[in-house]
Amino acid sequence: MKRIVYFSYILFLIFFTIFSFAFIDPNLFYLKSLFTGFYGQDRELVTSIYIISLILFFAFYIYFLLDKKNLNLQKTTSLILPSIIILFFAYPAMVSYDIFNYIATAKVLFLYKENPYIFMPIDLTHEPLLAFMHAANKTALYGFVWILLTGIPYVIGLHNFIMTLFAFKLFVICFYVVSLYMIWKLSKSILPVLLFALNPLVLIETVLSGHNDIIMIFLVLASFLAIKNKKIAWGLLLFFASIFIKYATIMLIPMYIYFLIYKNKSINWQKIYLWSAGLMFAIFLLSQFREEIYPWYAIWFMPFVFLQNKKWLIIITIALS
């Protein structure tokens, strides 16, 4: 890997992180000193910068994939670590306000002691988050495992909004890191790790935006690893936990029926990854009937695509992302 490319990538990540703060909501009084209104004043310019940024993101990604020297643990780590550290400091509501909803739901349960499946944030008329969060008129959309897990970053935040915001980001990033470890353990290859870790969609929607989909996926990957090691009970427990993060992995039930039937026989894991990718892609497409398809839903099927060895399918997935 050429040093000039590496340092250009670092500078690009720093630029993208700074650019993310152009999207601060005018009602987000906690960061009012950083509000510029730039994203609303010249939308054509902002759109152009964002599109060019995405092109550069993918240019770096493809370069790193094609550079065979990067296919080792040291080189891959030297790319992943700065990506995590720099994007951790980016404004998480650049392209989605979901992280505010996570915080609001946690406050409903852990601060106000109300049931988030009954109470909506908008019912808490004096809650400061209502000034800038979206979808305040909805009860909790996620499973009870996620609701309980939000207590960890909420407590770490010590009732300070900025600390809580970045505690939620850090919480999600930790699951991103252990998901990469699961991919490596399942594949025993650095390429699937690099394919997933540095994909711009994954970085933007997970490390930057802090979406909880990666936690659901981690639990499934950990479940697969447990079953691969003949720990069926642990595998099933982790699978059910994943369902009660965001429900989408319920589509993988056929895989677990297969595991139970053939638990004492040799399993073709390449076929398992391929079938899992197909099932998760199916629910990705079906999500439009519930509300609409969001880009971070692609994280549901991408790890399984990258774990299997069909090159044409990997190329299509990268193009789709």
Side-chain angles (χ1 to χ4, degrees):
M1 178 169 49
K2 295 179 180 179
R3 285 192 175 186
I4 189 169
V5 176
Y6 179 77
F7 287 113
S8 296
Y9 177 64
I10 300 299
L11 289 173
F12 166 72
L13 290 174
I14 294 170
F15 164 79
F16 197 73
T17 296
I18 294 170
F19 177 58
S20 71
F21 284 89
F23 293 82
I24 291 176
D25 190 286
N27 297 314
L28 184 58
F29 47 86
Y30 296 105
L31 294 173
K32 62 182 180 180
S33 60
L34 298 176
F35 174 71
T36 62
F38 175 59
Y39 81 96
Q41 293 170 359
D42 195 335
R43 290 181 179 271
E44 289 184 2
L45 177 59
V46 171
T47 302
S48 298
I49 294 172
Y50 187 71
I51 290 172
I52 292 169
S53 296
L54 287 183
I55 292 169
L56 288 172
F57 237 134
F58 275 95
F60 281 117
Y61 175 56
I62 292 168
Y63 174 85
F64 295 143
L65 289 176
L66 295 177
D67 187 356
K68 300 299 182 182
K69 294 178 182 178
N70 294 322
L71 295 181
N72 63 67
L73 185 60
Q74 183 181 357
K75 293 284 187 180
T76 301
T77 304
S78 71
L79 291 168
I80 294 172
L81 273 180
S83 301
I84 292 172
I85 294 168
I86 296 169
L87 292 177
F88 168 73
F89 293 100
Y91 177 60
M94 179 183 185
V95 291
S96 167
Y97 282 63
D98 280 7
I99 197 166
F100 297 150
N101 296 331
Y102 301 161
I103 296 170
T105 304
K107 291 188 79 170
V108 167
L109 178 60
F110 297 105
L111 179 63
Y112 296 106
K113 312 300 181 185
E114 300 288 357
N115 185 342
Y117 295 105
I118 298 174
F119 272 77
M120 298 179 288
I122 202 170
D123 294 327
L124 307 169
T125 54
H126 300 294
E127 171 53 48
L129 287 174
L130 296 176
F132 52 85
M133 71 173 287
H134 290 194
N137 60 336
K138 292 182 179 180
T139 54
L141 300 172
Y142 309 114
F144 75 93
V145 173
W146 167 249
I147 301 300
L148 294 175
L149 286 175
T150 60
I152 298 171
Y154 180 74
V155 170
I156 292 172
L158 299 173
H159 301 289
N160 177 284
F161 173 77
I162 302 300
M163 285 182 62
T164 302
L165 184 67
F166 283 92
F168 268 80
K169 279 196 69 171
L170 181 61
F171 186 65
V172 170
I173 287 170
C174 287
F175 280 94
Y176 162 82
V177 172
V178 289
S179 294
L180 300 183
Y181 179 70
M182 289 296 111
I183 292 172
W184 182 79
K185 289 287 287 184
L186 287 166
S187 66
K188 296 298 182 183
S189 171
I190 206 67
L191 180 59
V193 177
L194 191 63
L195 280 164
F196 186 74
L198 294 183
N199 183 280
L201 185 148
V202 176
L203 285 174
I204 291 172
E205 303 298 358
T206 300
V207 180
L208 188 151
S209 298
H211 282 115
N212 62 2
D213 304 74
I214 194 67
I215 300 172
M216 177 182 72
I217 292 304
F218 160 74
L219 289 167
V220 169
L221 294 173
S223 170
F224 276 16
L225 184 62
I227 289 170
K228 202 170 185 179
N229 292 329
K230 306 299 181 184
K231 298 176 181 178
I232 304 296
W234 273 109
L236 291 173
L237 181 63
L238 289 165
F239 171 59
F240 285 117
S242 79
I243 292 175
F244 290 104
I245 294 290
K246 208 167 182 176
Y247 309 121
T249 49
I250 198 168
M251 284 292 284
L252 294 177
I253 284 178
M255 296 293 95
Y256 288 84
I257 294 173
Y258 176 87
F259 291 147
L260 290 172
I261 293 173
Y262 294 97
K263 61 182 178 181
N264 296 321
K265 296 182 180 180
S266 178
I267 293 174
N268 185 332
W269 282 96
Q270 280 298 308
K271 285 187 176 180
I272 293 296
Y273 302 143
L274 186 60
W275 294 340
S276 298
L279 289 168
M280 294 309 292
F281 185 70
I283 198 166
F284 166 80
L285 294 177
L286 290 170
S287 62
Q288 64 183 308
F289 296 106
R290 183 187 68 86
E291 189 169 8
E292 60 182 298
I293 297 176
Y294 294 109
W296 53 91
Y297 289 180
I299 293 169
W300 300 351
F301 60 84
M302 288 172 68
F304 305 110
V305 172
F306 296 149
L307 279 166
Q308 59 82 54
N309 54 18
K310 294 188 182 298
K311 189 175 180 180
W312 63 268
L313 187 55
I314 292 171
I315 292 171
I316 289 173
T317 301
I318 291 172
L320 179 62
S321 72

